[in-house]
Amino acid sequence: MGIEDRLAAIEKNQKEILRLLAQNERSVPEILTLKKAAEYVGFSSHHFRWLAVEQRVIPFSRPSGQQKGKLLFRKLDLDRFLDESVKAKESVRTSGRKRKSTDICFWWSVSVMGDDSFLRGLKGLDPNFQKKIIALNDNPKLPQWPEQTRGIPNICLRSALFGIIQRGQRRALKGELISSVKGLEIRYTGWQLDQGDFDVLAHALHLVATNKSSEGYVQFTVKGFLHGIYRKAGKSGREWLKDCFRRLTGTAVEIKLEIKYTYEIIEYVYAGSLIDEFYCNTHDQTYFLKVNPKLAKLFDAGWTQLQWQQRTCLKTDLAKWLHGFYASHRSPYPMKVLTLKTLCGSSCGR
């Protein structure tokens, strides 16, 4: 089957799925609440709210007229959003030389759809397509960000997961509760991570996102990676980088995050390592690295684009931690010095 036939079959299946979903739309009101609107389009409430409030993709209104309050959506706007999503995928048909595609994309985000909607959508598809969709659902791709920034989940910026560690005082932890902001619970097992480890993970995520790998694999040279985090590529730099990868690979992180909305509290849980595995070729100084693909789901709970050059100009770990912490807030608010000291994990006695 050629690519045109494949696309035609996909389009036909999309329309059939839309028809099946429309059968359940009996007496849908013209104005919907956040929860009802999310159910209508097949997204989870927290992701639908992110699309509307943070990304401004879906129009909404607030009867209170305040920055916070109940959200209302028009059914007309939701239908338009679904139609535009379908048309966006139809633009895959471009003129010129055709190339066989290995990625199958659909108008919905399978990683955030409700279970019922997701299963209904799968039933009308070819078994081979079903496998690809399930693979994308299990290993969602990272979001995209500009080259001069680095995308980081907020849980890494609002806690002591990558803390301030005095020289020679790095400890091995076992299921220890990490200091974090209210509503976020992190338990960590492994050697403590510092801001140097943060730089390594941030740049690794950047390479994976640039490579658009849903499996989390990426290959790079040691020299290029160290230059990317503004470190010298000598012998000491190479050994330091390998130590960082060892620490990030030998981690076990348990994250429980509560997201509060007007009518509900959604609990988001993640458990796993930060880097799954890495291979080093000492002959040509190249690495083959696999970042845990499940990390992509942490971005759904909120993430920040760090100005990378700004960060690399900062000399101390405390300055870097504060830079990331305040960058993760749209409107920073005053905090006690003692609170900041606790959140960054500093052991300084002064």
Side-chain angles (χ1 to χ4, degrees):
M1 181 182 292
I3 185 64
E4 291 295 334
D5 295 331
R6 282 175 175 264
L7 291 173
I10 292 172
E11 182 179 357
K12 181 179 179 180
N13 285 325
Q14 289 174 348
K15 291 180 178 179
E16 178 63 18
I17 291 169
L18 287 173
R19 186 187 67 78
L20 292 173
L21 293 175
Q23 291 178 355
N24 296 325
E25 298 174 6
R26 297 187 178 93
S27 65
V28 177
E30 292 300 320
I31 304 297
L32 296 91
T33 62
L34 171 66
K35 185 176 181 180
K36 293 296 183 182
E39 291 176 353
Y40 181 72
V41 299
F43 288 172
S44 65
S45 296
H46 75 274
H47 183 76
F48 182 80
R49 187 180 189 280
W50 176 76
L51 286 174
V53 179
E54 300 292 338
Q55 300 298 313
R56 301 288 177 175
V57 174
I58 305 171
F60 65 91
S61 62
R62 279 196 172 99
S64 64
Q66 303 296 323
Q67 186 175 3
K68 294 183 178 180
K70 183 178 180 180
L71 301 178
L72 295 178
F73 300 85
R74 296 193 307 169
K75 179 177 178 295
L76 180 64
D77 294 328
L78 299 179
D79 291 336
R80 185 181 296 115
F81 165 71
L82 292 176
D83 291 340
E84 291 176 354
S85 299
V86 174
K87 291 177 182 178
K89 294 308 176 185
E90 290 179 349
S91 64
V92 173
R93 299 188 182 192
T94 58
S95 59
R97 184 172 63 91
K98 301 296 188 297
R99 182 176 61 183
K100 186 176 181 180
S101 174
T102 57
D103 295 330
I104 304 300
C105 299
F106 293 87
W107 61 274
W108 68 81
S109 175
V110 296
S111 62
V112 295
M113 283 187 64
D115 292 338
D116 294 339
S117 300
F118 179 53
L119 293 175
R120 282 203 308 271
L122 284 180
K123 286 181 180 179
L125 300 178
D126 181 90
N128 293 328
F129 291 165
Q130 291 184 28
K131 293 179 181 179
K132 292 187 177 183
I133 294 174
I134 293 173
L136 288 173
N137 186 45
D138 292 337
N139 300 317
K141 292 184 179 180
L142 293 170
Q144 300 297 304
W145 49 79
E147 177 63 30
Q148 66 272 20
T149 64
R150 297 293 184 271
I152 296 294
N154 286 339
I155 61 104
C156 297
L157 302 172
R158 299 177 181 176
S159 68
L161 181 59
F162 295 91
I164 312 300
I165 304 174
Q166 302 292 332
R167 183 183 293 273
Q169 296 186 12
R170 191 189 302 272
R171 297 186 298 119
L173 309 179
K174 183 179 180 180
E176 187 166 318
L177 190 63
I178 301 295
S179 299
S180 60
V181 296
K182 186 178 180 181
L184 174 63
E185 180 182 310
I186 303 176
R187 290 193 176 275
Y188 178 80
T189 299
W191 286 99
Q192 285 180 298
L193 303 175
D194 58 17
Q195 290 297 298
D197 300 314
F198 178 94
D199 289 341
V200 171
L201 179 63
H203 194 58
L205 289 174
H206 179 71
L207 294 178
V208 173
T210 304
N211 201 38
K212 298 181 179 180
S213 169
S214 62
E215 298 295 330
Y217 288 104
V218 66
Q219 187 173 6
F220 53 85
T221 64
V222 176
K223 184 177 181 180
F225 193 98
L226 289 172
H227 284 172
I229 59 177
Y230 293 84
R231 282 185 174 262
K232 294 182 179 179
K235 181 178 179 180
S236 60
R238 295 194 297 269
E239 292 301 319
W240 172 86
L241 181 62
K242 185 177 290 187
D243 282 340
C244 287
F245 285 141
R246 287 169 179 157
R247 284 192 293 271
L248 292 168
T249 305
T251 60
V253 186
E254 302 172 43
I255 299 171
K256 183 184 296 183
L257 176 64
E258 291 183 352
I259 305 177
K260 295 183 179 181
Y261 296 117
T262 306
Y263 301 104
E264 60 183 339
I265 297 178
I266 297 177
E267 187 177 272
Y268 188 91
V269 179
Y270 168 86
S273 63
L274 297 175
I275 290 181
D276 277 354
E277 57 187 353
F278 70 92
Y279 305 94
C280 179
N281 187 334
T282 56
H283 177 68
D284 56 3
Q285 292 299 320
T286 59
Y287 272 91
F288 189 75
L289 181 76
K290 182 185 180 184
V291 174
N292 190 337
K294 300 294 183 182
L295 281 177
K297 293 188 177 181
L298 292 181
F299 284 79
D300 288 340
W303 61 286
T304 298
Q305 293 186 36
L306 281 183
Q307 295 297 324
W308 196 240
Q309 191 170 8
Q310 278 184 0
R311 177 180 172 84
T312 56
C313 292
L314 303 175
K315 302 301 181 184
T316 66
D317 281 358
L318 177 59
K320 291 182 177 181
W321 187 91
L322 289 171
H323 177 263
F325 178 77
Y326 282 110
S328 70
H329 291 77
R330 177 176 297 178
S331 300
Y333 51 89
M335 300 186 73
K336 295 180 180 179
V337 174
L338 181 59
T339 303
L340 291 172
K341 176 180 178 293
T342 302
L343 285 176
C344 73
S346 175
S347 59
C348 178
R350 292 184 293 123

